[in-house]
Amino acid sequence: MSGYSAVLSAFLLVAAVEGLVPAVYLDLFHSGVWKVPEDTPHELQFALHFNDSDLLAPRDPPEAWLGVTVVPDEEWKLDFVNDTVLFTAEEVSKGVNKSVTFTGYYWGTTELTFYLTRNDLDPQFDDPVLLSKDDLAITIDRKSLVVDTIFIAVGSFFVLINNINMGAQLDISIIRSVLKRPLGPACGFVSQFLCMPTLTFAMGKLFFDDPLHRLGLFTLGCSPGGTSSNFWTLMFNGDINLSITMTIISTIAAMGMMPLWMFTLGASLLEENADIQIPFVNLAVSLITLTVPVCVGIGIRMKRPAWADKGKKVIKPFSFFILIFFMVVGTYNSYKVLLMMTWQMVVAGFLVVFCGYTLGAIFARVVCLTGDKVIAISIETALQNPGVAFILLKLSLESPYSDLAAVPIIATLFVSGPPLILIYLCYLLARRFCGCCPRAQDAETTQKEGADDKEPAEAMKFLPDAEGGALTGREE
C-alpha cells in the first residue's frame, strides 16, 4: 500500500526466560489519526517482529503462537469483526502483515491500545503485555448521503411555497405601523440577542464538559429567528405581520451580533487550532429566501386578492404538514444523532427553549403589547434558525467535530418541536369540543368591537393598533 504513515514501533521485552525468549515489537501501518467514513468496513494492518529474529527465530518452534489484541478506549464506538490476531513464530520472523476488520458507527475519535495476549514461546506468560498505546486514533467521519440532498431540496421547496402564501396574508399597513413604533422588534431584539446568547452559554457551562457541545448550544443561542417561528406564530394565531418583520430584522442584526458574541464568549469554547467563521453568505441567503417569497406573496395580494383568499384557506394545514414533514423525515435522517444524545442535552435544550418563551413573553407584557404580539415575540425568541448555526460550525470545525458540536442543537430542536405539536393538537381539541379557544377571525372581531366600545388603557395610547394607526384615546 503506497503512502503508509510513518511506521510506529513500540518495543517491549516479553518475559525473557534465560535469554531464550525473544523480545517483540509491533509495526503499525497507520499512525496519528486515521479518518475513515462511517458504516464502512476497514482493515487495520500491523505486524509483529522479533528484535533479534536472525539469531533467535531458528530456535523457535514453528507451532508456537503469539496473539495481539486491539482494545478501543470505549468499546461501543467501534465494532470489530476480529479484535485478536494470531501469528506463528515463523510469521513473526518473516514480518508477515495481518489485520483486524472494524466498522465505525458513531462519529468521533477512538484511541486504540494493543496488547500481546498470547505467547507460546514463554511458558511463564500469564498477563497481557502492553505493546502500543495512544499511537493510533480512529476518527469516524459522517458520510454525505443522497437522502440528505433530497430532504433539503424538498423541504426548501415546501418552505418557499409557504413563504409566498404567508406573504399573501400580510397587511402592509400593519407592517408600516410596526416599523414606525418598533416596540415588538425591540423586545425581540433584547430577548433574542442579549438574553439567549448569555443563557445558552451558561447552560453549556452548567451541563456539558465537552467544549464542542458548549459551542454548539451557544451557536444556536446567537442565531437569528427562522421560518419555523413564523409557522408556529401562524398556527397559534399570533401576529404574523410582527413575526415576519422580526425575523427579517433579526437576520439583518445577526450579521453584527453573531460576530460580537462569537468573538467574545464563543472564542473561549473553541480549540486553539479552530477559527470562527461567521456565515455571512448564509445569513444573506436566509434573508433573501424569506424576503423575496414574502414580497411575491404581497404582490399577489395586491394584484390577485382572490388568490390570496384561496391561499388563506390552506395555509394552516399546509404549514402543519411542513412541520410534520421536517419532524418525521428529519428524525429518520438523523436517527444516529438521537442515539448520541445525553440527558444533559435534553434538559439543557428544554430549559433554553422554555426560557426563550418566558423571556419573550415577559418583555412583551412589560411594554403592554397585546396577546397576539406576545405570542409572536415569545415564539420568535425561543425558536432560532438552526441552519445558520450548522453552517457556522461547518465553517469553523472540521468534520466530524462539527457534527458532534451540532448534537446539542438537534437535541434542542427535538425538545421544542414535538411539545408544540402536542400543544397545538390540544388547542384544536379544546376549540372543537370545549369552545374555549376562539378562532382567529372570532378573536379579531372581538378585539375590534372592544376597541370601539372601550377607552384604551393609558399604556396603549401610543402603540400601533390592529388597523395600522395609533391609539390616541377617546375621541373628542
Tab-separated table of all heavy atoms in Angstrom, residues 71-126:
chain	number	residue	atom	x	y	z
A	71	VAL	N	-7.703	-3.014	21.632
A	71	VAL	CA	-8.706	-2.575	22.609
A	71	VAL	C	-8.978	-1.078	22.406
A	71	VAL	O	-8.068	-0.263	22.568
A	71	VAL	CB	-8.238	-2.825	24.058
A	71	VAL	CG1	-9.302	-2.356	25.044
A	71	VAL	CG2	-7.925	-4.301	24.265
A	72	PRO	N	-10.215	-0.668	22.018
A	72	PRO	CA	-10.541	0.759	21.905
A	72	PRO	C	-10.781	1.365	23.280
A	72	PRO	O	-11.106	0.646	24.241
A	72	PRO	CB	-11.822	0.755	21.062
A	72	PRO	CG	-12.453	-0.568	21.352
A	72	PRO	CD	-11.326	-1.535	21.601
A	73	ASP	N	-10.619	2.687	23.387
A	73	ASP	CA	-10.818	3.324	24.687
A	73	ASP	C	-12.264	3.237	25.149
A	73	ASP	O	-12.539	3.213	26.340
A	73	ASP	CB	-10.347	4.784	24.647
A	73	ASP	CG	-11.058	5.600	23.577
A	73	ASP	OD1	-11.847	5.027	22.804
A	73	ASP	OD2	-10.814	6.826	23.515
A	74	GLU	N	-13.212	3.170	24.188
A	74	GLU	CA	-14.621	2.930	24.514
A	74	GLU	C	-15.146	1.912	23.515
A	74	GLU	O	-15.201	2.176	22.314
A	74	GLU	CB	-15.433	4.225	24.440
A	74	GLU	CG	-15.053	5.253	25.504
A	74	GLU	CD	-15.912	6.502	25.437
A	74	GLU	OE1	-15.535	7.428	24.698
A	74	GLU	OE2	-16.946	6.540	26.112
A	75	GLU	N	-15.553	0.771	24.012
A	75	GLU	CA	-15.878	-0.356	23.145
A	75	GLU	C	-17.069	-0.084	22.225
A	75	GLU	O	-17.138	-0.625	21.119
A	75	GLU	CB	-16.157	-1.596	24.001
A	75	GLU	CG	-14.916	-2.114	24.745
A	75	GLU	CD	-15.199	-3.398	25.493
A	75	GLU	OE1	-16.350	-3.869	25.434
A	75	GLU	OE2	-14.270	-3.933	26.126
A	76	TRP	N	-18.014	0.756	22.635
A	76	TRP	CA	-19.216	0.970	21.836
A	76	TRP	C	-18.948	1.795	20.585
A	76	TRP	O	-19.772	1.822	19.659
A	76	TRP	CB	-20.289	1.666	22.666
A	76	TRP	CG	-19.867	3.003	23.225
A	76	TRP	CD1	-19.240	3.235	24.397
A	76	TRP	CD2	-20.039	4.279	22.606
A	76	TRP	NE1	-19.004	4.579	24.574
A	76	TRP	CE2	-19.491	5.246	23.488
A	76	TRP	CE3	-20.604	4.708	21.409
A	76	TRP	CZ2	-19.489	6.602	23.193
A	76	TRP	CZ3	-20.604	6.062	21.125
A	76	TRP	CH2	-20.059	6.992	22.008
A	77	LYS	N	-17.797	2.450	20.501
A	77	LYS	CA	-17.530	3.331	19.365
A	77	LYS	C	-17.184	2.564	18.088
A	77	LYS	O	-17.493	3.012	16.992
A	77	LYS	CB	-16.396	4.295	19.699
A	77	LYS	CG	-16.769	5.371	20.717
A	77	LYS	CD	-15.621	6.340	20.902
A	77	LYS	CE	-15.984	7.459	21.856
A	77	LYS	NZ	-14.865	8.421	22.035
A	78	LEU	N	-16.515	1.416	18.229
A	78	LEU	CA	-16.093	0.642	17.072
A	78	LEU	C	-16.599	-0.783	17.188
A	78	LEU	O	-16.639	-1.354	18.277
A	78	LEU	CB	-14.562	0.637	16.937
A	78	LEU	CG	-13.875	1.985	16.726
A	78	LEU	CD1	-12.361	1.795	16.678
A	78	LEU	CD2	-14.361	2.666	15.461
A	79	ASP	N	-16.954	-1.342	16.053
A	79	ASP	CA	-17.413	-2.730	16.004
A	79	ASP	C	-16.363	-3.559	15.272
A	79	ASP	O	-16.174	-3.416	14.064
A	79	ASP	CB	-18.757	-2.805	15.275
A	79	ASP	CG	-19.311	-4.216	15.260
A	79	ASP	OD1	-18.865	-5.032	16.082
A	79	ASP	OD2	-20.191	-4.496	14.422
A	80	PHE	N	-15.665	-4.435	16.027
A	80	PHE	CA	-14.595	-5.258	15.459
A	80	PHE	C	-15.140	-6.615	15.047
A	80	PHE	O	-15.826	-7.291	15.831
A	80	PHE	CB	-13.469	-5.461	16.476
A	80	PHE	CG	-12.564	-4.273	16.614
A	80	PHE	CD1	-12.818	-3.297	17.566
A	80	PHE	CD2	-11.460	-4.127	15.790
A	80	PHE	CE1	-11.996	-2.198	17.703
A	80	PHE	CE2	-10.631	-3.030	15.916
A	80	PHE	CZ	-10.889	-2.064	16.867
A	81	VAL	N	-14.837	-7.006	13.813
A	81	VAL	CA	-15.151	-8.372	13.369
A	81	VAL	C	-14.230	-9.355	14.072
A	81	VAL	O	-14.650	-10.419	14.521
A	81	VAL	CB	-15.011	-8.486	11.839
A	81	VAL	CG1	-15.246	-9.926	11.386
A	81	VAL	CG2	-15.979	-7.541	11.143
A	82	ASN	N	-12.969	-9.000	14.154
A	82	ASN	CA	-11.985	-9.783	14.910
A	82	ASN	C	-11.036	-8.807	15.585
A	82	ASN	O	-10.411	-7.972	14.924
A	82	ASN	CB	-11.201	-10.719	13.992
A	82	ASN	CG	-10.464	-9.959	12.893
A	82	ASN	OD1	-11.025	-9.092	12.243
A	82	ASN	ND2	-9.199	-10.305	12.692
A	83	ASP	N	-10.977	-8.862	16.890
A	83	ASP	CA	-10.109	-7.931	17.605
A	83	ASP	C	-8.790	-8.577	18.036
A	83	ASP	O	-7.944	-7.922	18.642
A	83	ASP	CB	-10.822	-7.352	18.822
A	83	ASP	CG	-11.268	-8.418	19.795
A	83	ASP	OD1	-11.025	-9.613	19.532
A	83	ASP	OD2	-11.876	-8.059	20.828
A	84	THR	N	-8.613	-9.863	17.719
A	84	THR	CA	-7.371	-10.571	18.077
A	84	THR	C	-6.812	-11.257	16.842
A	84	THR	O	-7.550	-11.877	16.066
A	84	THR	CB	-7.635	-11.612	19.182
A	84	THR	OG1	-8.127	-10.944	20.353
A	84	THR	CG2	-6.349	-12.342	19.533
A	85	VAL	N	-5.513	-11.126	16.664
A	85	VAL	CA	-4.823	-11.748	15.534
A	85	VAL	C	-3.715	-12.647	16.083
A	85	VAL	O	-2.982	-12.251	16.990
A	85	VAL	CB	-4.223	-10.685	14.592
A	85	VAL	CG1	-3.378	-11.347	13.511
A	85	VAL	CG2	-5.321	-9.850	13.960
A	86	LEU	N	-3.610	-13.855	15.515
A	86	LEU	CA	-2.583	-14.809	15.924
A	86	LEU	C	-1.490	-14.895	14.861
A	86	LEU	O	-1.773	-14.973	13.658
A	86	LEU	CB	-3.192	-16.189	16.152
A	86	LEU	CG	-4.195	-16.316	17.299
A	86	LEU	CD1	-4.754	-17.728	17.370
A	86	LEU	CD2	-3.564	-15.919	18.626
A	87	PHE	N	-0.242	-14.882	15.318
A	87	PHE	CA	0.929	-15.048	14.454
A	87	PHE	C	1.678	-16.313	14.888
A	87	PHE	O	1.822	-16.570	16.091
A	87	PHE	CB	1.888	-13.863	14.581
A	87	PHE	CG	1.332	-12.546	14.124
A	87	PHE	CD1	0.599	-11.750	14.982
A	87	PHE	CD2	1.569	-12.098	12.834
A	87	PHE	CE1	0.101	-10.525	14.569
A	87	PHE	CE2	1.081	-10.871	12.403
A	87	PHE	CZ	0.338	-10.079	13.279
A	88	THR	N	2.161	-17.092	13.919
A	88	THR	CA	3.096	-18.160	14.256
A	88	THR	C	4.482	-17.549	14.430
A	88	THR	O	4.750	-16.428	13.962
A	88	THR	CB	3.146	-19.226	13.154
A	88	THR	OG1	3.673	-18.640	11.956
A	88	THR	CG2	1.765	-19.805	12.884
A	89	ALA	N	5.355	-18.291	15.092
A	89	ALA	CA	6.716	-17.790	15.278
A	89	ALA	C	7.407	-17.576	13.933
A	89	ALA	O	8.180	-16.625	13.752
A	89	ALA	CB	7.513	-18.774	16.134
A	90	GLU	N	7.084	-18.423	12.970
A	90	GLU	CA	7.676	-18.264	11.641
A	90	GLU	C	7.179	-16.983	10.980
A	90	GLU	O	7.948	-16.257	10.339
A	90	GLU	CB	7.334	-19.478	10.780
A	90	GLU	CG	7.955	-19.419	9.389
A	90	GLU	CD	7.616	-20.656	8.566
A	90	GLU	OE1	6.875	-21.535	9.084
A	90	GLU	OE2	8.087	-20.743	7.422
A	91	GLU	N	5.860	-16.665	11.134
A	91	GLU	CA	5.301	-15.437	10.555
A	91	GLU	C	5.893	-14.194	11.203
A	91	GLU	O	6.123	-13.181	10.543
A	91	GLU	CB	3.779	-15.445	10.700
A	91	GLU	CG	3.089	-16.465	9.807
A	91	GLU	CD	1.608	-16.581	10.091
A	91	GLU	OE1	1.185	-16.243	11.237
A	91	GLU	OE2	0.857	-17.002	9.198
A	92	VAL	N	6.163	-14.295	12.502
A	92	VAL	CA	6.805	-13.171	13.183
A	92	VAL	C	8.214	-12.977	12.649
A	92	VAL	O	8.667	-11.851	12.415
A	92	VAL	CB	6.812	-13.392	14.703
A	92	VAL	CG1	7.567	-12.257	15.406
A	92	VAL	CG2	5.382	-13.467	15.237
A	93	SER	N	8.916	-14.070	12.427
A	93	SER	CA	10.285	-13.985	11.905
A	93	SER	C	10.307	-13.344	10.521
A	93	SER	O	11.202	-12.577	10.187
A	93	SER	CB	10.910	-15.383	11.837
A	93	SER	OG	10.975	-15.964	13.118
A	94	LYS	N	9.287	-13.651	9.693
A	94	LYS	CA	9.243	-13.115	8.331
A	94	LYS	C	8.565	-11.746	8.255
A	94	LYS	O	8.529	-11.141	7.170
A	94	LYS	CB	8.515	-14.100	7.423
A	94	LYS	CG	9.234	-15.433	7.251
A	94	LYS	CD	8.445	-16.359	6.344
A	94	LYS	CE	9.166	-17.680	6.146
A	94	LYS	NZ	8.407	-18.602	5.251
A	95	GLY	N	7.992	-11.286	9.376
A	95	GLY	CA	7.315	-9.982	9.362
A	95	GLY	C	6.036	-9.969	8.547
A	95	GLY	O	5.733	-8.989	7.853
A	96	VAL	N	5.254	-11.042	8.619
A	96	VAL	CA	4.015	-11.146	7.850
A	96	VAL	C	2.978	-10.153	8.389
A	96	VAL	O	2.783	-10.041	9.602
A	96	VAL	CB	3.458	-12.585	7.915
A	96	VAL	CG1	2.103	-12.675	7.219
A	96	VAL	CG2	4.451	-13.553	7.294
A	97	ASN	N	2.310	-9.441	7.479
A	97	ASN	CA	1.262	-8.491	7.872
A	97	ASN	C	-0.063	-9.212	8.052
A	97	ASN	O	-0.447	-10.046	7.234
A	97	ASN	CB	1.088	-7.410	6.806
A	97	ASN	CG	2.319	-6.556	6.638
A	97	ASN	OD1	3.124	-6.429	7.549
A	97	ASN	ND2	2.471	-5.975	5.453
A	98	LYS	N	-0.764	-8.842	9.107
A	98	LYS	CA	-2.120	-9.326	9.323
A	98	LYS	C	-2.989	-8.136	9.737
A	98	LYS	O	-2.492	-7.036	9.964
A	98	LYS	CB	-2.145	-10.424	10.379
A	98	LYS	CG	-1.477	-11.715	9.913
A	98	LYS	CD	-1.835	-12.890	10.795
A	98	LYS	CE	-1.266	-14.187	10.235
A	98	LYS	NZ	-1.667	-15.367	11.045
A	99	SER	N	-4.299	-8.356	9.826
A	99	SER	CA	-5.181	-7.216	10.061
A	99	SER	C	-6.396	-7.611	10.878
A	99	SER	O	-6.772	-8.789	10.955
A	99	SER	CB	-5.649	-6.613	8.725
A	99	SER	OG	-6.417	-7.555	7.994
A	100	VAL	N	-6.998	-6.603	11.492
A	100	VAL	CA	-8.309	-6.725	12.124
A	100	VAL	C	-9.272	-5.872	11.314
A	100	VAL	O	-8.896	-4.840	10.747
A	100	VAL	CB	-8.285	-6.265	13.593
A	100	VAL	CG1	-7.420	-7.179	14.427
A	100	VAL	CG2	-7.812	-4.824	13.719
A	101	THR	N	-10.523	-6.291	11.242
A	101	THR	CA	-11.553	-5.576	10.490
A	101	THR	C	-12.506	-4.902	11.459
A	101	THR	O	-12.975	-5.531	12.418
A	101	THR	CB	-12.322	-6.538	9.571
A	101	THR	OG1	-11.395	-7.181	8.689
A	101	THR	CG2	-13.354	-5.788	8.746
A	102	PHE	N	-12.797	-3.634	11.218
A	102	PHE	CA	-13.692	-2.890	12.104
A	102	PHE	C	-14.613	-1.990	11.284
A	102	PHE	O	-14.345	-1.672	10.120
A	102	PHE	CB	-12.892	-2.038	13.095
A	102	PHE	CG	-12.148	-0.896	12.459
A	102	PHE	CD1	-12.726	0.362	12.342
A	102	PHE	CD2	-10.868	-1.085	11.965
A	102	PHE	CE1	-12.050	1.400	11.747
A	102	PHE	CE2	-10.175	-0.041	11.362
A	102	PHE	CZ	-10.767	1.210	11.253
A	103	THR	N	-15.704	-1.581	11.923
A	103	THR	CA	-16.655	-0.644	11.339
A	103	THR	C	-16.990	0.408	12.381
A	103	THR	O	-17.225	0.073	13.546
A	103	THR	CB	-17.949	-1.354	10.895
A	103	THR	OG1	-17.619	-2.372	9.945
A	103	THR	CG2	-18.921	-0.372	10.250
A	104	GLY	N	-17.009	1.664	11.971
A	104	GLY	CA	-17.378	2.746	12.874
A	104	GLY	C	-18.815	3.153	12.672
A	104	GLY	O	-19.246	3.430	11.548
A	105	TYR	N	-19.573	3.175	13.746
A	105	TYR	CA	-20.995	3.526	13.667
A	105	TYR	C	-21.238	4.962	14.124
A	105	TYR	O	-21.929	5.731	13.469
A	105	TYR	CB	-21.812	2.554	14.509
A	105	TYR	CG	-23.312	2.761	14.406
A	105	TYR	CD1	-23.997	2.347	13.267
A	105	TYR	CD2	-24.032	3.363	15.429
A	105	TYR	CE1	-25.370	2.532	13.161
A	105	TYR	CE2	-25.401	3.549	15.333
A	105	TYR	CZ	-26.073	3.134	14.200
A	105	TYR	OH	-27.420	3.328	14.099
A	106	TYR	N	-20.675	5.323	15.258
A	106	TYR	CA	-20.863	6.660	15.812
A	106	TYR	C	-19.696	7.555	15.419
A	106	TYR	O	-18.552	7.123	15.346
A	106	TYR	CB	-20.978	6.609	17.337
A	106	TYR	CG	-22.175	5.844	17.829
A	106	TYR	CD1	-22.052	4.527	18.264
A	106	TYR	CD2	-23.431	6.427	17.852
A	106	TYR	CE1	-23.153	3.818	18.719
A	106	TYR	CE2	-24.547	5.728	18.303
A	106	TYR	CZ	-24.390	4.433	18.728
A	106	TYR	OH	-25.478	3.728	19.163
A	107	TRP	N	-19.994	8.850	15.190
A	107	TRP	CA	-18.947	9.794	14.837
A	107	TRP	C	-18.084	10.095	16.055
A	107	TRP	O	-18.552	10.063	17.176
A	107	TRP	CB	-19.557	11.100	14.318
A	107	TRP	CG	-20.682	10.900	13.360
A	107	TRP	CD1	-20.739	9.981	12.350
A	107	TRP	CD2	-21.928	11.589	13.338
A	107	TRP	NE1	-21.933	10.062	11.690
A	107	TRP	CE2	-22.686	11.046	12.271
A	107	TRP	CE3	-22.483	12.608	14.081
A	107	TRP	CZ2	-23.963	11.501	11.953
A	107	TRP	CZ3	-23.740	13.068	13.769
A	107	TRP	CH2	-24.472	12.517	12.721
A	108	GLY	N	-16.840	10.399	15.775
A	108	GLY	CA	-15.935	10.751	16.860
A	108	GLY	C	-14.610	10.029	16.721
A	108	GLY	O	-14.355	9.305	15.748
A	109	THR	N	-13.748	10.235	17.699
A	109	THR	CA	-12.391	9.692	17.682
A	109	THR	C	-12.220	8.650	18.780
A	109	THR	O	-12.644	8.867	19.916
A	109	THR	CB	-11.358	10.813	17.866
A	109	THR	OG1	-11.521	11.769	16.807
A	109	THR	CG2	-9.942	10.270	17.840
A	110	THR	N	-11.601	7.536	18.423
A	110	THR	CA	-11.353	6.443	19.352
A	110	THR	C	-9.863	6.120	19.360
A	110	THR	O	-9.268	5.891	18.296
A	110	THR	CB	-12.130	5.177	18.943
A	110	THR	OG1	-13.517	5.493	18.832
A	110	THR	CG2	-11.951	4.080	19.980
A	111	GLU	N	-9.254	6.102	20.530
A	111	GLU	CA	-7.843	5.746	20.649
A	111	GLU	C	-7.720	4.233	20.878
A	111	GLU	O	-8.508	3.638	21.620
A	111	GLU	CB	-7.191	6.514	21.797
A	111	GLU	CG	-7.116	8.013	21.540
A	111	GLU	CD	-6.407	8.751	22.650
A	111	GLU	OE1	-6.214	8.152	23.735
A	111	GLU	OE2	-6.038	9.924	22.442
A	112	LEU	N	-6.721	3.635	20.231
A	112	LEU	CA	-6.540	2.188	20.282
A	112	LEU	C	-5.305	1.821	21.104
A	112	LEU	O	-4.291	2.528	21.070
A	112	LEU	CB	-6.387	1.625	18.865
A	112	LEU	CG	-7.557	1.864	17.906
A	112	LEU	CD1	-7.260	1.218	16.562
A	112	LEU	CD2	-8.854	1.334	18.484
A	113	THR	N	-5.427	0.732	21.827
A	113	THR	CA	-4.320	0.168	22.600
A	113	THR	C	-4.111	-1.274	22.152
A	113	THR	O	-5.086	-2.011	21.939
A	113	THR	CB	-4.617	0.212	24.109
A	113	THR	OG1	-4.881	1.560	24.490
A	113	THR	CG2	-3.441	-0.300	24.914
A	114	PHE	N	-2.865	-1.680	22.002
A	114	PHE	CA	-2.531	-3.026	21.525
A	114	PHE	C	-1.814	-3.797	22.642
A	114	PHE	O	-0.885	-3.272	23.266
A	114	PHE	CB	-1.630	-2.953	20.288
A	114	PHE	CG	-2.286	-2.318	19.102
A	114	PHE	CD1	-2.344	-0.935	18.987
A	114	PHE	CD2	-2.849	-3.095	18.100
A	114	PHE	CE1	-2.938	-0.337	17.894
A	114	PHE	CE2	-3.450	-2.504	17.007
A	114	PHE	CZ	-3.505	-1.124	16.897
A	115	TYR	N	-2.270	-5.040	22.850
A	115	TYR	CA	-1.694	-5.900	23.882
A	115	TYR	C	-1.228	-7.212	23.261
A	115	TYR	O	-1.853	-7.736	22.321
A	115	TYR	CB	-2.718	-6.213	24.976
A	115	TYR	CG	-3.131	-5.033	25.820
A	115	TYR	CD1	-4.254	-4.285	25.494
A	115	TYR	CD2	-2.400	-4.689	26.960
A	115	TYR	CE1	-4.646	-3.205	26.273
A	115	TYR	CE2	-2.782	-3.615	27.745
A	115	TYR	CZ	-3.909	-2.875	27.390
A	115	TYR	OH	-4.283	-1.809	28.161
A	116	LEU	N	-0.148	-7.722	23.792
A	116	LEU	CA	0.253	-9.087	23.496
A	116	LEU	C	-0.482	-9.989	24.480
A	116	LEU	O	-0.228	-9.954	25.683
A	116	LEU	CB	1.768	-9.251	23.647
A	116	LEU	CG	2.337	-10.617	23.240
A	116	LEU	CD1	2.233	-10.822	21.729
A	116	LEU	CD2	3.783	-10.760	23.699
A	117	THR	N	-1.436	-10.767	23.976
A	117	THR	CA	-2.295	-11.566	24.853
A	117	THR	C	-1.969	-13.065	24.806
A	117	THR	O	-2.565	-13.848	25.544
A	117	THR	CB	-3.766	-11.365	24.462
A	117	THR	OG1	-3.932	-11.622	23.053
A	117	THR	CG2	-4.205	-9.942	24.770
A	118	ARG	N	-1.067	-13.455	23.920
A	118	ARG	CA	-0.661	-14.870	23.872
A	118	ARG	C	0.797	-14.953	23.433
A	118	ARG	O	1.209	-14.267	22.496
A	118	ARG	CB	-1.535	-15.656	22.899
A	118	ARG	CG	-1.148	-17.137	22.786
A	118	ARG	CD	-2.146	-17.893	21.933
A	118	ARG	NE	-1.746	-19.286	21.736
A	118	ARG	CZ	-2.471	-20.186	21.077
A	118	ARG	NH1	-3.638	-19.850	20.539
A	118	ARG	NH2	-2.035	-21.421	20.935
A	119	ASN	N	1.579	-15.798	24.119
A	119	ASN	CA	2.983	-16.008	23.771
A	119	ASN	C	3.389	-17.419	24.171
A	119	ASN	O	3.764	-17.679	25.309
A	119	ASN	CB	3.858	-14.968	24.471
A	119	ASN	CG	5.306	-15.041	24.021
A	119	ASN	OD1	5.668	-15.858	23.179
A	119	ASN	ND2	6.150	-14.193	24.581
A	120	ASP	N	3.294	-18.322	23.206
A	120	ASP	CA	3.639	-19.726	23.486
A	120	ASP	C	5.137	-19.915	23.685
A	120	ASP	O	5.567	-20.971	24.172
A	120	ASP	CB	3.169	-20.620	22.327
A	120	ASP	CG	1.648	-20.675	22.239
A	120	ASP	OD1	0.984	-20.244	23.212
A	120	ASP	OD2	1.124	-21.123	21.199
A	121	LEU	N	5.922	-18.921	23.313
A	121	LEU	CA	7.369	-19.051	23.491
A	121	LEU	C	7.776	-18.879	24.937
A	121	LEU	O	8.885	-19.257	25.319
A	121	LEU	CB	8.092	-18.004	22.630
A	121	LEU	CG	7.816	-18.060	21.127
A	121	LEU	CD1	8.559	-16.938	20.416
A	121	LEU	CD2	8.225	-19.413	20.568
A	122	ASP	N	6.886	-18.291	25.718
A	122	ASP	CA	7.195	-18.035	27.131
A	122	ASP	C	6.278	-18.891	27.994
A	122	ASP	O	5.082	-18.619	28.102
A	122	ASP	CB	6.993	-16.553	27.434
A	122	ASP	CG	7.338	-16.210	28.880
A	122	ASP	OD1	7.797	-17.120	29.608
A	122	ASP	OD2	7.145	-15.049	29.273
A	123	PRO	N	6.792	-19.931	28.615
A	123	PRO	CA	5.941	-20.802	29.443
A	123	PRO	C	5.395	-20.095	30.672
A	123	PRO	O	4.437	-20.574	31.280
A	123	PRO	CB	6.885	-21.956	29.820
A	123	PRO	CG	8.263	-21.390	29.683
A	123	PRO	CD	8.196	-20.391	28.576
A	124	GLN	N	5.966	-18.959	31.048
A	124	GLN	CA	5.503	-18.233	32.232
A	124	GLN	C	4.582	-17.064	31.873
A	124	GLN	O	4.235	-16.258	32.719
A	124	GLN	CB	6.708	-17.716	33.024
A	124	GLN	CG	7.630	-18.813	33.516
A	124	GLN	CD	8.810	-18.264	34.295
A	124	GLN	OE1	8.904	-17.071	34.537
A	124	GLN	NE2	9.718	-19.147	34.692
A	125	PHE	N	4.184	-16.996	30.599
A	125	PHE	CA	3.341	-15.882	30.167
A	125	PHE	C	1.926	-16.063	30.696
A	125	PHE	O	1.267	-17.064	30.411
A	125	PHE	CB	3.342	-15.804	28.631
A	125	PHE	CG	2.567	-14.625	28.089
A	125	PHE	CD1	3.182	-13.392	27.947
A	125	PHE	CD2	1.226	-14.745	27.738
A	125	PHE	CE1	2.484	-12.300	27.437
A	125	PHE	CE2	0.523	-13.665	27.240
A	125	PHE	CZ	1.147	-12.438	27.091
A	126	ASP	N	1.429	-15.067	31.463
A	126	ASP	CA	0.085	-15.141	32.029
A	126	ASP	C	-0.741	-13.893	31.694
A	126	ASP	O	-1.873	-13.991	31.211
A	126	ASP	CB	0.143	-15.313	33.554
A	126	ASP	CG	0.694	-16.664	33.960
A	126	ASP	OD1	0.367	-17.641	33.264
A	126	ASP	OD2	1.452	-16.727	34.944
